[in-house]
Amino acid sequence: MDTLSMLLHGFGVALQPMNLMWALIGSVLGTAIGILPGIGPALTIALLLPVTVSVGPVSAFIMFAGVLYGAMYGGSTTAILINTPGEAGSMMTALEGNKMARRGRGAAALATAAIGSFIAGTIATLALTFAAPAVAELAFIFTPADYFALTVMAFTSVAVVMGTSRVRGFISLFLGLALGVIGIDAMTGQPRMTFGMPDLLDGVELTVVLVSVFAVGEILYVASRFRHQNEEIIPIRGKAFMTRDEWKRSWKPWLRGTAIGFPMGAIPGGGSELPTMLSYSLEKNLSKNKQEFGHGAIEGVAGPEAANNAAAAGILVPLLTLGLPTSATAAILLVAFQNYGLQPGPFLFTSNPELIWGLIASLYVGNCMLLVLNLPLVGLWVRLLYIPKPQLYAGILVFAMIGIWGVSGSAFELGMMAGLGVLSYVMRVYGFPIAPLLIGMILVPMAENQLRTALAAGQGNFMVLLHSPIAVSFYIAAALFLAVPWILKRVQR
Amino acid sequence: MTSVPRQPWWLGLAVILAGAVCLYASSSLTLSAQYAAIGPGLFVALVGAGLIALGILLLVQMSRGTAFDEQERAADPGMDKGPFLTVLLAAVLPSLLMEPLGLPLTAAVCFMLVARALGSRRALLDLISGLALGSACWFLFGRLGLQLGSFLPIAGV
C-alpha cells in the first residue's frame, strides 16, 4: 500500500472513539503539564509509563503523542504569562512573549503561539508522513557496522550539542553507558557490574531511571532553590485575537520556524532548544522591527513556537525509522516501545502498521484538538498556575513512587530512586546535561550488539567497521560534530 | 543557604572513581570470544577507561578555571540544605516503609515531607491529603493492573 492509503488506514485507527478519547486525555494532560513550570513532556511520559501497563500499545502511543504536542503548546502559556518556560523549547518565547504580555498584548502572544504551533505541527506531521517511510526503506540497507557507526554519531552529537561543555556532555554519556551495561550480558550470559547483587542481574530498569532522574531530581532541585523563586502571573489582557498587522508579521515566521524545526528535531542532539534559538536569531535578523526585539516582538514568539512544535514531529522520524532517540523525550518514547516488546525501526512499519500509522494520524487529530483546547480555553489553563507548589511537587513524588513500586515491586529499586535522584540533582547543579545519560543508557545494547555482530562477521578484524561508505559517513559526521564547535571557537578568537 | 563551590574537585574524583569501578568489574569478565574477538568485558573496560580520561580532563579544566564559569555560578542562587535534606528523606523512606506499611501510608508520610520542604505548614492536612491520594491511586491503579501490594501489610489488610 502507498503512503496515503496507509495514512487513511491510520485515520481509521485514530478516529475510533476509544482512541479519540486517549488522544483527548493525552492532549489535556500534555497541555496541563506543559503549563506547570519545570514539568515537561519527558517527565510526564516517564510518570505515565507504568500507568499505561494495562492499556494497549496503540492507545498508549496515541496518548503519548497528545502529551508530546500538548506540552509544547502548554509550555508557551507559562513562558508568556510568568516568564518561566514550561519546558526547555519555550525559552525564547519567554523572552518576547512575556514582554508582550506586560504591554497588554498577552492574548495576541498566546494566539500567535497557538496558531503557529498548529500550523507547524500540521506541516511537520505531513513531512513526517512522507519522510518516515522513505527513511525506513533506507534503513533496510544498513549493516551492523553501519548501525554501530550511527550510534557513535548519535552519542557524539548528543554529548556535544546538549549542555554547555563537551567534557560534561561526554561524562553524562559515559555514565549512561555504565548504567546500561549493568546486568546479564545478552550474548554470553555473564553477569556484569552486578557486584554479587541479585537485584542487579536484570539490569537497571529504564523506567526507574527515567522517573528518578526527571521527577526526584526536579523535586530535589526545586526544594533546594524554592525560596529564591518569585513567579508573578500576568493576567491576560488585550484583544482576544491578533490584529491585521500581527497576522502579517506572524505568518512568515511560522513557516520559517517550521522549516528550521523539523529537520533540526530529526538530527541527534537537535532537540527543541536549538531550533527555537536558531529561529529566534533568524527572525531577529530578518525583522523590519529589530528595535522591538527584547521589548515584545511578535516574530520572536511566532518563529520559535513554530520551530518548537515542528521539532516535536521531527524527533519522531529517526525514532520510528531507525530506533534512534535524538532527545530526552524521544528516549522515553523508545523505552515506552520497548516496554511493549516493540523495537522501533524499519521492521515496525511492516510488522505493526496499525500502531505506526495510527500514531501518525493521531498527531493530526491531536493537533486539531489542541488548537480548540488552547485558543478559547487559555483562561482556564492559566488557573493551573495557581496550584500550590508544595502540594504539586508532593503529588509528583507520590506518582514517581507508585510508578517504580508498580513496575518493580522492589524496595531495592525504590532505594535506587533516591540515589539516582541525587545523581540527577548534582548533574543539574553542575551543568551536566541529562539527555546524553539517557540516550547512552538506552542505546548501549544496540551499540554493543551491533559492534559485536559486525566484528563476528569480520572474524575479529576491526577494519570491518570502516568497510561501508555509510559507516564512514557517520564517523565523519561524528568527527564534525566534535570538531566544528572547537574550530569555530578558534576562528572567533 | 550554602553557595555552590566554584571548583568542585570532588566531581572529577568521583568520575575517576566510577571509571575505576568499571575497569575493576571488567577485569573479571572474559575479554575474548571465538569469532568476535571481543567479550562482555570489552565495552565495560572502554566505558571505564573513558570515564577515567574524562574525569582527568574535568580536573584539568577546573585547574584552569574554565569548567564552571562565573556566569553559570552567578545564575545559581545556592542551595537551601534543610528543604533539600527533607525531600531526600522523603525519597529514601519509600524503600524502608513500603514493604511494612504499604503504599497509602508511605504516600502520606512522603507527601507531608515534600510539602513541608516546599513551605507548607499544614502537616496534618498534608498527611490526610497524601493518604487520600495514596489510597485513591492504590485502588485505581490496582484496577488498571499495577501490582501495588497490600493496603496495610503490617496489619495484614
Side-chain angles (χ1 to χ4, degrees):
Chain A
M1 275 196 278
D2 61 10
T3 303
L4 274 179
S5 48
M6 293 304 288
L7 182 64
L8 281 176
H9 175 64
F11 272 109
V13 175
L15 292 174
Q16 285 169 11
M18 205 58 185
N19 288 336
L20 275 176
M21 186 197 75
W22 285 114
L24 184 66
I25 290 174
S27 304
V28 171
L29 266 179
T31 308
I33 281 164
I35 281 172
L36 299 170
I39 307 168
L43 170 57
T44 316
I45 299 173
L47 286 175
L48 286 172
L49 280 180
V51 180
T52 53
V53 76
S54 63
V55 178
V58 178
S59 305
F61 280 100
I62 283 175
M63 182 174 71
F64 291 150
V67 171
L68 179 65
Y69 270 13
M72 297 295 172
Y73 271 74
S76 61
T77 307
T78 326
I80 291 165
L81 298 181
I82 60 169
N83 200 21
T84 306
E87 43 85 37
S90 301
M91 272 183 312
M92 309 317 283
T93 309
L95 274 181
E96 299 300 330
N98 189 254
K99 297 275 169 34
M100 282 183 74
R102 284 177 192 279
R103 283 194 298 136
R105 297 301 301 144
L110 288 165
T112 195
I115 299 166
S117 295
F118 170 74
I119 290 172
T122 307
I123 296 173
T125 308
L126 260 172
L128 167 74
T129 305
F130 292 96
V135 180
E137 285 292 323
L138 205 66
F140 278 115
I141 60 170
F142 282 14
T143 63
D146 298 331
Y147 268 112
F148 175 69
L150 180 66
T151 53
V152 170
M153 187 195 75
F155 288 156
T156 312
S157 56
V158 168
V160 170
V161 175
M162 299 206 166
T164 52
S165 146
R166 277 183 289 175
V167 172
R168 279 177 271 171
F170 274 106
I171 288 174
S172 174
L173 170 72
F174 272 75
L175 286 175
L177 295 177
L179 282 172
V181 293
I182 295 173
I184 292 176
D185 173 43
M187 289 194 176
T188 62
Q190 285 195 59
R192 298 191 298 186
M193 305 263 287
T194 56
F195 307 104
M197 282 186 267
D199 287 300
L200 289 177
L201 285 174
D202 285 337
V204 180
E205 178 70 50
L206 277 165
T207 311
V208 175
V209 177
L210 297 175
V211 169
S212 312
V213 162
F214 282 105
V216 182
E218 172 74 15
I219 300 166
L220 282 168
Y221 187 83
V222 170
S224 70
R225 268 84 180 153
F226 184 69
R227 286 177 200 173
H228 308 284
Q229 288 181 0
N230 182 22
E231 289 169 357
E232 179 206 351
I233 304 168
I234 302 169
I236 306 167
R237 282 178 288 153
K239 278 189 284 184
F241 292 105
M242 294 150 63
T243 61
R244 183 187 285 247
D245 182 52
E246 283 165 340
W247 276 98
K248 210 174 142 190
R249 287 173 60 180
S250 290
W251 72 270
K252 282 182 187 168
W254 289 336
L255 297 180
R256 284 193 288 260
T258 309
I260 292 171
F262 182 74
M264 290 292 293
I267 296 170
S272 63
E273 296 91 335
L274 209 59
T276 51
M277 283 182 211
L278 281 175
S279 167
Y280 182 81
S281 309
L282 181 72
E283 295 311 328
K284 196 174 176 180
N285 285 325
L286 293 178
S287 176
K288 289 175 188 162
N289 309 290
K290 283 193 182 66
Q291 73 288 351
E292 277 188 32
F293 273 79
H295 305 285
I298 197 163
E299 297 91 336
V301 179
E305 269 307 306
N308 178 9
N309 265 57
I315 66 166
L316 294 175
V317 177
L319 179 71
L320 297 179
T321 58
L322 304 170
L324 189 74
T326 56
S327 68
T329 311
I332 295 166
L333 284 171
L334 181 60
V335 175
F337 275 105
Q338 289 169 347
N339 279 358
Y340 283 105
L342 301 164
Q343 182 57 46
F347 293 105
L348 199 60
F349 277 80
T350 47
S351 67
N352 222 323
E354 186 174 285
L355 170 65
I356 292 287
W357 290 102
L359 171 64
I360 292 175
S362 77
L363 293 174
Y364 292 97
V365 176
N367 219 11
C368 295
M369 279 181 181
L370 283 164
L371 189 68
V372 176
L373 282 173
N374 274 269
L375 270 183
L377 299 180
V378 71
L380 194 70
W381 294 117
V382 170
R383 289 180 186 275
L384 286 173
L385 291 169
Y386 292 97
I387 294 177
K389 292 280 182 296
Q391 283 72 26
L392 174 69
Y393 283 96
I396 291 173
L397 182 74
V398 170
F399 273 97
M401 194 174 82
I402 291 170
I404 292 176
W405 182 242
V407 161
S408 65
S410 148
F412 177 83
E413 301 211 340
L414 282 172
M416 201 181 274
M417 171 181 91
L420 288 167
V422 173
L423 173 72
S424 162
Y425 170 80
V426 171
M427 289 177 72
R428 187 161 174 178
V429 169
Y430 291 102
F432 291 82
I434 297 287
L437 177 129
L438 297 180
I439 288 173
M441 189 185 168
I442 289 165
L443 283 185
V444 75
M446 180 175 168
E448 190 180 12
N449 288 342
Q450 300 293 356
L451 173 69
R452 286 162 79 173
T453 310
L455 285 173
Q459 301 203 344
N461 182 2
F462 274 80
M463 290 309 289
V464 75
L465 300 175
L466 299 170
H467 277 172
S468 144
I470 297 175
V472 173
S473 316
F474 286 139
Y475 289 127
I476 292 172
L480 285 175
F481 271 113
L482 206 56
V484 167
W486 184 79
I487 294 169
L488 284 176
K489 218 174 180 178
R490 292 263 153 174
V491 169
Q492 277 171 353
R493 276 182 195 168
Chain B
M1 189 181 94
T2 43
S3 61
V4 181
R6 191 172 168 274
Q7 298 297 20
W9 302 102
W10 63 272
L11 266 178
L13 296 173
V15 174
I16 292 173
L17 181 68
V21 169
C22 290
L23 275 184
Y24 169 76
S26 73
S27 64
S28 61
L29 296 164
T30 316
L31 285 174
S32 61
Q34 281 181 329
Y35 292 110
I38 61 162
L42 184 74
F43 225 86
V44 184
L46 284 175
V47 172
L51 279 171
I52 290 176
L54 287 162
I56 293 169
L57 258 175
L58 190 66
L59 288 176
V60 170
Q61 281 193 338
M62 277 191 248
S63 70
R64 290 179 177 171
T66 54
F68 300 93
D69 59 81
E70 288 302 330
Q71 201 182 358
E72 279 173 61
R73 297 274 63 81
D76 191 335
M79 172 195 194
D80 282 332
K81 269 189 185 165
F84 173 84
L85 291 174
T86 311
V87 171
L88 186 58
L89 179 67
V92 171
L93 276 180
S95 62
L96 306 171
L97 300 183
M98 193 66 91
E99 282 177 349
L101 295 186
L103 174 69
L105 273 183
T106 309
V109 175
C110 294
F111 190 97
M112 186 268 286
L113 284 172
V114 175
R116 186 170 184 80
L118 287 163
S120 170
R121 290 292 167 263
R122 297 174 301 176
L124 186 64
L125 191 65
D126 289 331
L127 262 177
I128 295 168
S129 306
L131 186 65
L133 181 67
S135 304
C137 289
W138 180 85
F139 179 74
L140 289 172
F141 294 146
R143 293 285 294 256
L144 275 173
L146 274 187
Q147 301 296 319
L148 295 172
S150 308
F151 188 83
L152 185 58
I154 205 164
V157 184

